[in-house]
Amino acid sequence: MNSKRLWILIVGELSRLNKYGVFSISILVAFIWGVVLFLISDSVLGTFLPFVLFIDATMMSVMYIGAEMHFEKTESTISTMLVTPVSNAEMVLSKVLGNTIHNLISSLLIVAAFYIAGQLDFINELGFSLILVILGIVLSTATFTILGLVLSYYHKDFTDLLVSMFVIIFVLMIPAVLLMFGVIKGDFWETFMLVNPMQAVLEVIQGGFYNAAGELDLDYRYFLSLGYILVGGIVLYFFWAIPKFQDYAVRQSGV
Amino acid sequence: MFKVEDLRYKYPKNPSDVINGISFEIAKGEIFGFLGPSGAGKSTTQKIMIKILEDFRGTISYNGKDIREYGDDFYEDIGVSFEMPIHFSKMTAMENIEFFLKLYKRNADVEKLMRRVGLWEHKDMMVGEFSKGMKIRLNIVRALLNEPHMLFLDEPTNGLDPTNAQILKDMIREFREAGGTVFITSHIMADIDQLCDRVAFIVEGEIKEVDSPRNLKIKYGKRTMTLEYKENGETVREEFPMDGIGQNETFLNLLQTKEIETLHSGETTLEDIFIRVTGVQLRDEQ
């Protein structure tokens, strides 16, 4: 892995996300979420802000990387990347890191808006550990970006990808949301649901926020989820995203 | 420079090989044309040679070393121009070029290249606003960015007007004169004829002919001279064998006594050879 080349690729990814309007869309989405969060009552704010970050880190990550891969497909740029000294691993990693940085910026914009609003007493101040929030967003976004990459290998266009993504995300998200809002309760379900990656992301992001007592509530579920996302992302990256990239790229070059 | 020996390749979903044991060599400083009808195996062969397709059988060596042993540094040495446009359309020409340029150790003089293909004045234009011809010209600049020693060109003049096609052909010749080697596929036989030192015809994954355009024309042409002359206000056409033409009294007599309209050797065209070797009409291909 050539770090200088990787950096060039990441800057290129971020530049294209900007040029192709993906960055503007994510800022707009962040702004809309911000407005929604300002309008909801303070009593649910503590639950809703992690939920917004959770949506950003999962569903939006898949969508943004899917859109980027779609642009590359339509412009055949992957063909010319294949004949540069850039390795497949560098290409895949730059996409994962580029999308993660991009998503982190939009998520942090929401967090910053609420931090400032809390400091100025416009809303109830939300306590959180910035380091843990960033860790949660980065790990979750990276893993779901890898998932989005893998999904885009198997879909011929963006619409196809969106349909699959909505099916997968909603099937996984509904139980997590039901648990989050207390529709499903109990220790058994709270532990069992950790096999659901969406639930694991929710645990990790919620773990960065203080509870009602003003403390971080980092129990075994948090660490289990953290490990699950980390290992899941690594497995997906090394055993799926990288090995299948060459086949995908060759197909894009007209074979 | 490139040596292909008994190359065979089968796509995973195909029941049989699409490349059936082809062998050829490309010498350093040579412009080598690779011709054949659609589906004959041209693109597959090129994709194997540029290491996009793996899992081939046989051997391909570049500068004496098996291409399987090369890492990604192989691409520091070669340039590839694809037939289709391959640029980020919402970035300017220069932004595209600068992005790719940074990926290589060796960098060409971009301004010189862009000026040569007439794109320097349009360097700040979005590639999405370029015409097809401009995109093709930008492809060539992209292929030459790393000052390659070996150039792969897929239909390089397709979509270019005659003036720009001529500029491009001049650039290819200059590249060769500077010591570069070129592998070129094209349907435009006039370009192949003008540019290539040798050509190979591939049909159904097998090479049917490899030789210089001149030798192929001699081989497939008729060894005759055809003379058209005026007699009693009408055009008369006569054909003479090439062998011993200098001693053929009838022929010499006609030259001396008649008003000659045309005089042609039986040399054929590369297009005719393509049709005879491949059994496919070129217009069906285009």
Side-chain angles (χ1 to χ4, degrees):
Chain A
M1 186 83 62
N2 179 318
S3 56
K4 185 186 164 210
R5 215 159 45 209
L6 182 65
W7 176 245
I8 293 165
L9 292 174
I10 293 170
V11 171
E13 291 289 327
L14 290 171
S15 163
R16 285 194 295 281
L17 284 167
N18 181 34
K19 294 268 181 186
Y20 284 77
V22 178
F23 204 84
S24 309
I25 290 168
S26 68
I27 298 296
L28 180 68
V29 170
F31 177 75
I32 292 168
W33 279 123
V35 171
V36 171
L37 286 165
F38 270 107
L39 295 176
I40 63 169
S41 74
D42 284 349
S43 60
V44 291
L45 189 62
T47 316
F48 209 74
L49 180 57
F51 177 71
V52 170
L53 299 179
F54 156 76
I55 295 284
D56 225 31
T58 55
M59 203 165 83
M60 300 311 282
S61 295
V62 175
M63 258 173 71
Y64 293 142
I65 193 70
E68 197 201 328
M69 296 293 277
H70 168 71
F71 287 133
E72 286 194 357
K73 266 185 199 181
T74 54
E75 298 184 332
S76 303
T77 45
I78 205 93
S79 302
T80 196
M81 288 304 293
L82 282 180
V83 293
T84 64
V86 174
S87 69
N88 288 350
E90 286 166 355
M91 260 189 270
V92 173
L93 188 59
S94 69
K95 289 186 188 307
V96 174
L97 295 179
N99 203 47
T100 303
I101 292 168
H102 153 249
N103 229 38
L104 179 66
I105 292 169
S106 70
S107 295
L108 286 182
L109 277 177
I110 302 173
V111 175
F114 278 81
Y115 179 75
I116 293 165
Q119 292 290 307
L120 298 174
D121 288 334
F122 289 135
I123 55 169
N124 276 353
E125 199 175 327
L126 274 176
F128 57 84
S129 156
L130 187 61
I131 290 172
L132 291 186
V133 168
I134 289 175
L135 178 72
I137 292 170
V138 166
L139 275 185
S140 309
T141 303
T143 299
F144 275 79
T145 298
I146 298 168
L147 178 69
L149 262 175
V150 170
L151 284 176
S152 64
Y153 293 171
Y154 299 98
H155 293 85
K156 63 176 189 294
D157 56 43
F158 188 51
T159 317
D160 248 20
L161 172 73
L162 280 185
V163 172
S164 294
M165 183 200 75
F166 279 119
V167 171
I168 293 169
I169 298 279
F170 277 110
V171 166
L172 296 176
M173 193 162 71
I174 287 167
V177 172
L178 291 178
L179 193 70
M180 183 187 188
F181 289 101
V183 180
I184 301 172
K185 290 177 186 168
D187 278 349
F188 170 76
W189 286 112
E190 284 182 8
T191 308
F192 176 73
M193 290 290 275
L194 291 179
V195 297
N196 177 354
M198 299 288 272
Q199 179 62 38
V201 168
L202 204 49
E203 289 284 346
V204 165
I205 288 178
Q206 277 179 322
F209 287 83
Y210 295 141
N211 59 19
E215 295 168 345
L216 288 174
D217 194 7
L218 303 179
D219 60 7
Y220 76 96
R221 287 196 301 271
Y222 175 81
F223 292 104
L224 204 63
S225 300
L226 202 64
Y228 183 36
I229 295 168
L230 184 65
V231 172
I234 291 171
V235 168
L236 207 55
Y237 178 78
F238 283 107
F239 293 96
W240 214 344
I242 298 276
K244 293 290 174 191
F245 182 78
Q246 180 72 13
D247 290 347
Y248 162 78
V250 169
R251 279 202 308 277
Q252 302 319 308
S253 71
V255 174
Chain B
M1 188 152 197
F2 248 103
K3 191 172 183 184
V4 177
E5 287 174 288
D6 196 26
L7 178 66
R8 294 171 192 273
Y9 185 80
K10 185 174 101 58
Y11 286 108
K13 289 178 184 171
N14 272 32
S16 55
D17 287 348
V18 290
I19 304 292
N20 299 303
I22 63 173
S23 302
F24 59 91
E25 273 185 63
I26 306 171
K28 186 171 174 2
E30 185 175 33
I31 302 180
F32 189 85
F34 205 58
L35 315 174
S38 297
K42 298 190 299 289
S43 296
T44 304
T45 306
Q46 177 163 317
K47 280 177 180 144
I48 294 169
M49 290 171 75
I50 60 175
K51 282 172 65 71
I52 285 184
L53 287 178
E54 296 162 343
D55 301 327
F56 60 87
R57 286 164 285 145
T59 45
I60 303 177
S61 55
Y62 174 64
N63 285 335
K65 182 175 163 185
D66 194 319
I67 61 164
R68 291 183 184 97
E69 291 170 22
Y70 281 95
D72 291 312
D73 58 328
F74 176 70
Y75 298 109
E76 295 283 0
D77 226 35
I78 69 161
V80 182
S81 171
F82 293 92
E83 185 184 4
M84 71 277 191
I86 38 85
H87 294 95
F88 300 108
S89 64
K90 296 203 175 178
M91 293 169 78
T92 66
M94 207 56 191
E95 283 169 342
N96 267 282
I97 292 302
E98 279 172 350
F99 170 70
F100 290 113
L101 196 66
K102 287 177 196 160
L103 301 175
Y104 294 100
K105 288 178 191 159
R106 267 197 317 270
N107 286 176
D109 182 343
V110 173
E111 183 177 343
K112 191 177 160 194
L113 281 175
M114 293 279 275
R115 282 193 189 282
R116 188 71 201 277
V117 298
L119 289 178
W120 184 248
E121 294 74 21
H122 309 285
K123 67 181 191 300
D124 297 322
M125 221 169 123
M126 291 287 173
V127 172
E129 294 166 18
F130 272 20
S131 66
K132 189 189 173 192
M134 291 164 89
K135 287 177 186 170
I136 298 297
R137 283 183 271 156
L138 194 60
N139 274 5
I140 296 293
V141 175
R142 156 74 190 91
L144 291 167
L145 277 183
N146 54 326
E147 296 185 320
H149 297 130
M150 173 92 201
L151 201 50
F152 290 86
L153 304 171
D154 191 5
E155 304 284 353
T157 56
N158 201 9
L160 292 183
D161 59 64
T163 309
N164 281 308
Q166 191 54 51
I167 290 171
L168 194 65
K169 284 186 269 185
D170 290 343
M171 286 174 79
I172 295 169
R173 284 192 200 97
E174 286 161 21
F175 177 80
R176 188 258 308 268
E177 280 156 20
T181 308
V182 185
F183 181 87
I184 182 169
T185 66
S186 177
H187 280 117
I188 304 169
M189 290 299 134
D191 290 350
I192 292 288
D193 201 357
Q194 289 167 26
L195 286 170
C196 294
D197 299 305
R198 285 190 308 139
V199 295
F201 287 92
I202 181 168
V203 185
E204 293 175 349
E206 290 175 14
I207 288 186
K208 300 291 184 189
E209 284 286 1
V210 189
D211 213 332
S212 67
R214 183 183 180 277
N215 287 349
L216 287 170
K217 284 178 194 169
I218 291 169
K219 181 179 175 182
Y220 284 90
K222 284 160 71 180
R223 287 190 53 76
T224 57
M225 290 294 290
T226 303
L227 196 62
E228 288 182 325
Y229 59 92
K230 282 273 186 198
E231 191 167 67
N232 303 325
E234 297 215 343
T235 300
V236 179
R237 190 168 188 269
E238 279 195 54
E239 195 173 277
F240 298 91
M242 187 82 83
D243 298 319
I245 192 86
Q247 286 78 46
N248 188 318
E249 284 188 10
T250 315
F251 176 76
L252 294 174
N253 187 42
L254 285 172
L255 283 181
Q256 287 162 7
T257 58
K258 301 293 180 188
E259 182 190 341
I260 307 298
E261 286 188 323
T262 65
L263 178 61
H264 290 290
S265 72
E267 184 181 273
T268 187
T269 63
L270 214 50
E271 184 164 341
D272 282 334
I273 299 170
F274 181 96
I275 293 165
R276 285 179 64 183
V277 173
T278 67
V280 178
Q281 295 279 343
L282 269 170
R283 57 181 162 274
D284 297 339
E285 284 297 292
Q286 293 153 357

